[in-house]
Amino acid sequence: MEHYKGLKPSRRNFLTGAAAVGGALAGSRLSAQTADPLIVNPQPWRQDLGAGVDAAPYGVPSKFEADVIRRDVPWLTADAVSSVNFTPLHALDGIITPNGLCFERHHGGVAVIEPSEHRLMINGLVDKELVFTMEDLMRFPRENHVYFLECAANSGMEWAGAQLNGCQFTHGMIHNVQYTGVPLRLLLEEAGVKTEGKWIMVEGADAAGMNRSIPMEKALDDCLVAFKMNGEALRPEQGYPLRLVVPGWEGNMWVKWIRRIEVGDQPWHAREETSKYTDLLANGVARRFTWEMDAKSVITSPSPQAPITHGKGPLVITGVAWSGRGTIPQVDVTTDGGMNWHKARMSGPSFDKSMHRFYYEMDWDGAPLLLQSRAHDSTGYVQPTKDALRKIRGENSIYHNNGIQTWAIDADGKAENVEIS
Amino acid sequence: MEHYKGLKPSRRNFLTGAAAVGGALAGSRLSAQTADPLIVNPQPWRQDLGAGVDAAPYGVPSKFEADVIRRDVPWLTADAVSSVNFTPLHALDGIITPNGLCFERHHGGVAVIEPSEHRLMINGLVDKELVFTMEDLMRFPRENHVYFLECAANSGMEWAGAQLNGCQFTHGMIHNVQYTGVPLRLLLEEAGVKTEGKWIMVEGADAAGMNRSIPMEKALDDCLVAFKMNGEALRPEQGYPLRLVVPGWEGNMWVKWIRRIEVGDQPWHAREETSKYTDLLANGVARRFTWEMDAKSVITSPSPQAPITHGKGPLVITGVAWSGRGTIPQVDVTTDGGMNWHKARMSGPSFDKSMHRFYYEMDWDGAPLLLQSRAHDSTGYVQPTKDALRKIRGENSIYHNNGIQTWAIDADGKAENVEIS
């Protein structure tokens, strides 16, 4: 049983919100069956037979959840085939992202691959070059791990100040699922990496042929060649039938529709690790090979897309935190823009390089709030302010912005993306 | 990094399966770019731009996965509105069931509920009868837990011997997701349970008005009033917008579309706990209140719907195990009908009252196999044979059959549901 560190609703507090049955029925205290206001006015769903078990072989969400979708920002890119959409973090809870809502980032649109025709090739500095079918890969030992996948450009627009009004857009280039796959190490061992093989180049089977270099140490550590997410086959937009999983590292390296792994003695300096995915500093020098995603967090509710609608009294503040370097043992929440910090309650499993869920329960007096969250990871690193990051990195980059996010809540419960210093 | 206790594919073994590049190209050893057989014959997905990020606001599986669906058995029940369909366990991996594939069991079809009109009432032996809106419930502290939900009738047809040819049908009345919800304890504390309140009756808002009795001790222990599964809102067929979660206990008690909780001093003896969900023994006496789901396991691949198609050599055997009384520290696998048992490799997280994933990797010589798995739970309980269960319980019941399942694999790799004694 979890211990609620935040203020939990007391009976007195809560009753200002929920209706006592007596109140709902004009003060009369009645026995259960006759008092039930739902029997007096039965809703249609209590009178009508619904759909049977043959109606939806693959289920879909309720029609009342039609707004909980991935959203793109058409002005952001020249074409939707090389663009991004965003996970609706404000509407989710727990730590698992359902497959239908995992954000997408493509460079040449979604490849539609017939799995029986898909091949994975290992070539270069190996004893024996190999081509695997999907069936071949299913004969290797598999592992199951929950990992977050975050685009390096997540929160990128925020380098220049508060830009996007909603955590779906400021922080929604992330998802968190359980992957099933074969350790890349086993496939490289099968091919036999030569002594001089220090890097791999991974390449997708999509029209963009997206490729990235990865150091051999990481390749042999925890990378997976994955074929399932949250139990079922990868979704097409997530690399069906095969993608690379590079735990804790920037999403661009998690090559989708992976078709080739070349072993070499140095990095390839591909387009996506030179002109893109390098971090231009104020002095014109670019940081490169900034692979790890630093500890980060965001309050998902209340937030601009999830305002407070219930007035004052008990309020649940919740959000997510993650680190590419380990777990998140602690998240702090402030409601006054950083003057006072409170330890949030962590809820749900804590996995290495996975999203974590936190809550902070409070009694809201109806006054404006400045909400922030601050993640601590298992290495001792503490999430910095955006200003602290800007002092060192300038504002040229669009990548690796893990600064603290601020939401201003007004007396009506509306939330806005703001910067405070 | 996991240690593979089973036989892992050795390079020599494996190469009988995968094609070495040299072999695929008639023995010529070529450099990577020119050797690549995929460049010689590029597939269409490498030439065509695919769909953009605006194409699928809520994603769906690949068209090549069209067979991975819930399936019902029309002859099983008189009408699909009071029937069941089954999770395709044979096609899944890891421990999370994606929401679209969670089996369904309805008594009056799927209620389609407008969440703003939904109410949860607590009445009976309480200090203050209460009616909660969904918004009220969102103001209480929430928890996140991964639990299995298994129908008490899962494997029920197997009491009379091997009946259904596929683990989707023999064991598919189970799913395993992460729930987000409010501890029921907090709501009961809000209402104030009177000293004589020892039971609750929980009732659904569907046309069937499904109801069950639950002892107060369980209600105050780990039950959740849940509104999310795997991060998003409950699916309509899983109780949207609100269901009860009764960890480890039979699925029928997890009332969907929950609208009322009555506190009483004794059980209600509702239809679903008298004429149904009691276990008729051979002597005519029925076991009642058999709530906990005992430890159980099944091999999901190979299995009748997932035969071996790759011939002899490295073979991955995998399955799932669970217990309503705790975790699963160990699963044993036999390939010879129980003469020799081998410890399987557990992979992925081990949660209380959750599904666990196991693997056993072997080198298959092509001879017929008799595959079984046997779960051990954290209380020390070991999954029994079906015959051992029948000796005590007879064959009248359709509930709580957690006996060991056998698949016979023939030399062609086909699998069949069999009984051995």
Side-chain angles (χ1 to χ4, degrees), chain B residues 39-59:
Chain B
I39 284 180
V40 176
N41 293 303
Q43 303 103 325
W45 45 86
R46 297 191 53 222
Q47 305 175 67
D48 303 327
L49 286 175
V53 297
D54 52 355
Y58 195 97

PDB file of all heavy atoms in Angstrom, chain B residues 39-59:
ATOM      1  N   ILE B  39      19.962  -4.306 -52.264  1.00  0.00           N
ATOM      2  CA  ILE B  39      20.145  -3.216 -53.224  1.00  0.00           C
ATOM      3  C   ILE B  39      19.997  -3.748 -54.646  1.00  0.00           C
ATOM      4  O   ILE B  39      19.448  -3.097 -55.524  1.00  0.00           O
ATOM      5  CB  ILE B  39      21.517  -2.531 -53.019  1.00  0.00           C
ATOM      6  CG1 ILE B  39      21.440  -1.641 -51.768  1.00  0.00           C
ATOM      7  CG2 ILE B  39      21.920  -1.697 -54.239  1.00  0.00           C
ATOM      8  CD1 ILE B  39      22.698  -0.904 -51.433  1.00  0.00           C
ATOM      9  N   VAL B  40      20.469  -4.972 -54.854  1.00  0.00           N
ATOM     10  CA  VAL B  40      20.309  -5.594 -56.173  1.00  0.00           C
ATOM     11  C   VAL B  40      18.826  -5.689 -56.532  1.00  0.00           C
ATOM     12  O   VAL B  40      18.411  -5.388 -57.644  1.00  0.00           O
ATOM     13  CB  VAL B  40      20.972  -6.988 -56.193  1.00  0.00           C
ATOM     14  CG1 VAL B  40      20.728  -7.671 -57.532  1.00  0.00           C
ATOM     15  CG2 VAL B  40      22.472  -6.858 -55.917  1.00  0.00           C
ATOM     16  N   ASN B  41      18.017  -6.064 -55.555  1.00  0.00           N
ATOM     17  CA  ASN B  41      16.577  -6.173 -55.789  1.00  0.00           C
ATOM     18  C   ASN B  41      15.832  -5.346 -54.733  1.00  0.00           C
ATOM     19  O   ASN B  41      15.283  -5.890 -53.791  1.00  0.00           O
ATOM     20  CB  ASN B  41      16.125  -7.630 -55.698  1.00  0.00           C
ATOM     21  CG  ASN B  41      16.693  -8.458 -56.819  1.00  0.00           C
ATOM     22  OD1 ASN B  41      16.488  -8.158 -57.986  1.00  0.00           O
ATOM     23  ND2 ASN B  41      17.426  -9.503 -56.460  1.00  0.00           N
ATOM     24  N   PRO B  42      15.829  -4.035 -54.891  1.00  0.00           N
ATOM     25  CA  PRO B  42      15.226  -3.216 -53.834  1.00  0.00           C
ATOM     26  C   PRO B  42      13.723  -3.446 -53.721  1.00  0.00           C
ATOM     27  O   PRO B  42      13.008  -3.490 -54.731  1.00  0.00           O
ATOM     28  CB  PRO B  42      15.535  -1.787 -54.270  1.00  0.00           C
ATOM     29  CG  PRO B  42      15.826  -1.865 -55.715  1.00  0.00           C
ATOM     30  CD  PRO B  42      16.352  -3.225 -55.991  1.00  0.00           C
ATOM     31  N   GLN B  43      13.258  -3.594 -52.476  1.00  0.00           N
ATOM     32  CA  GLN B  43      11.836  -3.794 -52.248  1.00  0.00           C
ATOM     33  C   GLN B  43      11.102  -2.477 -52.446  1.00  0.00           C
ATOM     34  O   GLN B  43      11.684  -1.404 -52.329  1.00  0.00           O
ATOM     35  CB  GLN B  43      11.600  -4.309 -50.823  1.00  0.00           C
ATOM     36  CG  GLN B  43      12.346  -5.596 -50.518  1.00  0.00           C
ATOM     37  CD  GLN B  43      13.564  -5.338 -49.668  1.00  0.00           C
ATOM     38  OE1 GLN B  43      14.228  -4.311 -49.805  1.00  0.00           O
ATOM     39  NE2 GLN B  43      13.865  -6.279 -48.789  1.00  0.00           N
ATOM     40  N   PRO B  44       9.786  -2.536 -52.691  1.00  0.00           N
ATOM     41  CA  PRO B  44       9.014  -1.301 -52.965  1.00  0.00           C
ATOM     42  C   PRO B  44       9.107  -0.287 -51.828  1.00  0.00           C
ATOM     43  O   PRO B  44       9.113   0.910 -52.077  1.00  0.00           O
ATOM     44  CB  PRO B  44       7.583  -1.809 -53.155  1.00  0.00           C
ATOM     45  CG  PRO B  44       7.570  -3.232 -52.702  1.00  0.00           C
ATOM     46  CD  PRO B  44       8.966  -3.741 -52.813  1.00  0.00           C
ATOM     47  N   TRP B  45       9.178  -0.783 -50.561  1.00  0.00           N
ATOM     48  CA  TRP B  45       9.177   0.168 -49.446  1.00  0.00           C
ATOM     49  C   TRP B  45      10.463   0.993 -49.356  1.00  0.00           C
ATOM     50  O   TRP B  45      10.528   1.928 -48.605  1.00  0.00           O
ATOM     51  CB  TRP B  45       8.907  -0.537 -48.118  1.00  0.00           C
ATOM     52  CG  TRP B  45       9.677  -1.803 -47.905  1.00  0.00           C
ATOM     53  CD1 TRP B  45      10.936  -1.929 -47.398  1.00  0.00           C
ATOM     54  CD2 TRP B  45       9.221  -3.134 -48.163  1.00  0.00           C
ATOM     55  NE1 TRP B  45      11.298  -3.245 -47.327  1.00  0.00           N
ATOM     56  CE2 TRP B  45      10.266  -4.021 -47.783  1.00  0.00           C
ATOM     57  CE3 TRP B  45       8.028  -3.669 -48.664  1.00  0.00           C
ATOM     58  CZ2 TRP B  45      10.155  -5.407 -47.916  1.00  0.00           C
ATOM     59  CZ3 TRP B  45       7.927  -5.041 -48.779  1.00  0.00           C
ATOM     60  CH2 TRP B  45       8.968  -5.896 -48.413  1.00  0.00           C
ATOM     61  N   ARG B  46      11.481   0.599 -50.144  1.00  0.00           N
ATOM     62  CA  ARG B  46      12.702   1.400 -50.159  1.00  0.00           C
ATOM     63  C   ARG B  46      12.665   2.429 -51.284  1.00  0.00           C
ATOM     64  O   ARG B  46      13.559   3.260 -51.394  1.00  0.00           O
ATOM     65  CB  ARG B  46      13.922   0.490 -50.294  1.00  0.00           C
ATOM     66  CG  ARG B  46      14.035  -0.457 -49.085  1.00  0.00           C
ATOM     67  CD  ARG B  46      15.342  -1.187 -49.038  1.00  0.00           C
ATOM     68  NE  ARG B  46      16.448  -0.267 -49.112  1.00  0.00           N
ATOM     69  CZ  ARG B  46      17.538  -0.473 -49.842  1.00  0.00           C
ATOM     70  NH1 ARG B  46      17.656  -1.556 -50.566  1.00  0.00           N
ATOM     71  NH2 ARG B  46      18.503   0.404 -49.857  1.00  0.00           N
ATOM     72  N   GLN B  47      11.646   2.364 -52.110  1.00  0.00           N
ATOM     73  CA  GLN B  47      11.571   3.269 -53.259  1.00  0.00           C
ATOM     74  C   GLN B  47      10.465   4.297 -53.136  1.00  0.00           C
ATOM     75  O   GLN B  47      10.521   5.347 -53.773  1.00  0.00           O
ATOM     76  CB  GLN B  47      11.327   2.447 -54.538  1.00  0.00           C
ATOM     77  CG  GLN B  47      12.365   1.357 -54.757  1.00  0.00           C
ATOM     78  CD  GLN B  47      12.019   0.495 -55.957  1.00  0.00           C
ATOM     79  OE1 GLN B  47      12.040   0.967 -57.084  1.00  0.00           O
ATOM     80  NE2 GLN B  47      11.677  -0.757 -55.702  1.00  0.00           N
ATOM     81  N   ASP B  48       9.441   3.985 -52.311  1.00  0.00           N
ATOM     82  CA  ASP B  48       8.257   4.847 -52.265  1.00  0.00           C
ATOM     83  C   ASP B  48       8.178   5.597 -50.943  1.00  0.00           C
ATOM     84  O   ASP B  48       8.421   5.029 -49.881  1.00  0.00           O
ATOM     85  CB  ASP B  48       6.990   3.999 -52.411  1.00  0.00           C
ATOM     86  CG  ASP B  48       6.995   3.179 -53.689  1.00  0.00           C
ATOM     87  OD1 ASP B  48       7.557   3.667 -54.690  1.00  0.00           O
ATOM     88  OD2 ASP B  48       6.463   2.060 -53.674  1.00  0.00           O
ATOM     89  N   LEU B  49       7.800   6.867 -51.008  1.00  0.00           N
ATOM     90  CA  LEU B  49       7.500   7.605 -49.792  1.00  0.00           C
ATOM     91  C   LEU B  49       6.230   7.034 -49.187  1.00  0.00           C
ATOM     92  O   LEU B  49       5.268   6.746 -49.902  1.00  0.00           O
ATOM     93  CB  LEU B  49       7.299   9.090 -50.111  1.00  0.00           C
ATOM     94  CG  LEU B  49       8.574   9.869 -50.438  1.00  0.00           C
ATOM     95  CD1 LEU B  49       8.214  11.288 -50.854  1.00  0.00           C
ATOM     96  CD2 LEU B  49       9.504   9.893 -49.230  1.00  0.00           C
ATOM     97  N   GLY B  50       6.231   6.881 -47.881  1.00  0.00           N
ATOM     98  CA  GLY B  50       5.061   6.332 -47.208  1.00  0.00           C
ATOM     99  C   GLY B  50       4.146   7.416 -46.681  1.00  0.00           C
ATOM    100  O   GLY B  50       4.285   8.591 -47.026  1.00  0.00           O
ATOM    101  N   ALA B  51       3.232   7.034 -45.802  1.00  0.00           N
ATOM    102  CA  ALA B  51       2.272   7.978 -45.216  1.00  0.00           C
ATOM    103  C   ALA B  51       2.989   8.940 -44.279  1.00  0.00           C
ATOM    104  O   ALA B  51       4.001   8.595 -43.656  1.00  0.00           O
ATOM    105  CB  ALA B  51       1.189   7.214 -44.462  1.00  0.00           C
ATOM    106  N   GLY B  52       2.449  10.135 -44.159  1.00  0.00           N
ATOM    107  CA  GLY B  52       3.018  11.151 -43.277  1.00  0.00           C
ATOM    108  C   GLY B  52       2.474  11.065 -41.859  1.00  0.00           C
ATOM    109  O   GLY B  52       1.659  10.197 -41.545  1.00  0.00           O
ATOM    110  N   VAL B  53       2.941  11.989 -41.027  1.00  0.00           N
ATOM    111  CA  VAL B  53       2.582  11.953 -39.605  1.00  0.00           C
ATOM    112  C   VAL B  53       1.149  12.417 -39.343  1.00  0.00           C
ATOM    113  O   VAL B  53       0.679  12.355 -38.213  1.00  0.00           O
ATOM    114  CB  VAL B  53       3.554  12.800 -38.768  1.00  0.00           C
ATOM    115  CG1 VAL B  53       4.957  12.236 -38.846  1.00  0.00           C
ATOM    116  CG2 VAL B  53       3.517  14.263 -39.194  1.00  0.00           C
ATOM    117  N   ASP B  54       0.465  12.891 -40.396  1.00  0.00           N
ATOM    118  CA  ASP B  54      -0.928  13.308 -40.218  1.00  0.00           C
ATOM    119  C   ASP B  54      -1.905  12.206 -40.631  1.00  0.00           C
ATOM    120  O   ASP B  54      -3.112  12.410 -40.624  1.00  0.00           O
ATOM    121  CB  ASP B  54      -1.201  14.577 -41.036  1.00  0.00           C
ATOM    122  CG  ASP B  54      -0.776  14.427 -42.505  1.00  0.00           C
ATOM    123  OD1 ASP B  54      -0.183  13.376 -42.852  1.00  0.00           O
ATOM    124  OD2 ASP B  54      -1.032  15.347 -43.293  1.00  0.00           O
ATOM    125  N   ALA B  55      -1.358  11.041 -40.979  1.00  0.00           N
ATOM    126  CA  ALA B  55      -2.209   9.999 -41.569  1.00  0.00           C
ATOM    127  C   ALA B  55      -3.000   9.200 -40.536  1.00  0.00           C
ATOM    128  O   ALA B  55      -4.091   8.723 -40.824  1.00  0.00           O
ATOM    129  CB  ALA B  55      -1.361   9.047 -42.410  1.00  0.00           C
ATOM    130  N   ALA B  56      -2.469   9.034 -39.347  1.00  0.00           N
ATOM    131  CA  ALA B  56      -3.101   8.132 -38.372  1.00  0.00           C
ATOM    132  C   ALA B  56      -3.035   8.738 -36.967  1.00  0.00           C
ATOM    133  O   ALA B  56      -2.169   8.378 -36.181  1.00  0.00           O
ATOM    134  CB  ALA B  56      -2.425   6.764 -38.395  1.00  0.00           C
ATOM    135  N   PRO B  57      -3.970   9.644 -36.654  1.00  0.00           N
ATOM    136  CA  PRO B  57      -3.957  10.270 -35.317  1.00  0.00           C
ATOM    137  C   PRO B  57      -4.029   9.241 -34.190  1.00  0.00           C
ATOM    138  O   PRO B  57      -3.469   9.452 -33.121  1.00  0.00           O
ATOM    139  CB  PRO B  57      -5.191  11.165 -35.325  1.00  0.00           C
ATOM    140  CG  PRO B  57      -5.439  11.451 -36.774  1.00  0.00           C
ATOM    141  CD  PRO B  57      -5.019  10.202 -37.517  1.00  0.00           C
ATOM    142  N   TYR B  58      -4.733   8.149 -34.439  1.00  0.00           N
ATOM    143  CA  TYR B  58      -4.704   7.018 -33.505  1.00  0.00           C
ATOM    144  C   TYR B  58      -4.287   5.807 -34.332  1.00  0.00           C
ATOM    145  O   TYR B  58      -4.997   5.400 -35.252  1.00  0.00           O
ATOM    146  CB  TYR B  58      -6.061   6.791 -32.831  1.00  0.00           C
ATOM    147  CG  TYR B  58      -5.932   5.886 -31.634  1.00  0.00           C
ATOM    148  CD1 TYR B  58      -5.825   6.403 -30.339  1.00  0.00           C
ATOM    149  CD2 TYR B  58      -5.842   4.509 -31.793  1.00  0.00           C
ATOM    150  CE1 TYR B  58      -5.650   5.576 -29.241  1.00  0.00           C
ATOM    151  CE2 TYR B  58      -5.666   3.674 -30.708  1.00  0.00           C
ATOM    152  CZ  TYR B  58      -5.571   4.206 -29.430  1.00  0.00           C
ATOM    153  OH  TYR B  58      -5.384   3.374 -28.351  1.00  0.00           O
ATOM    154  N   GLY B  59      -3.133   5.242 -34.026  1.00  0.00           N
ATOM    155  CA  GLY B  59      -2.536   4.208 -34.873  1.00  0.00           C
ATOM    156  C   GLY B  59      -3.196   2.847 -34.765  1.00  0.00           C
ATOM    157  O   GLY B  59      -3.849   2.538 -33.772  1.00  0.00           O
TER     158      GLY B  59
END
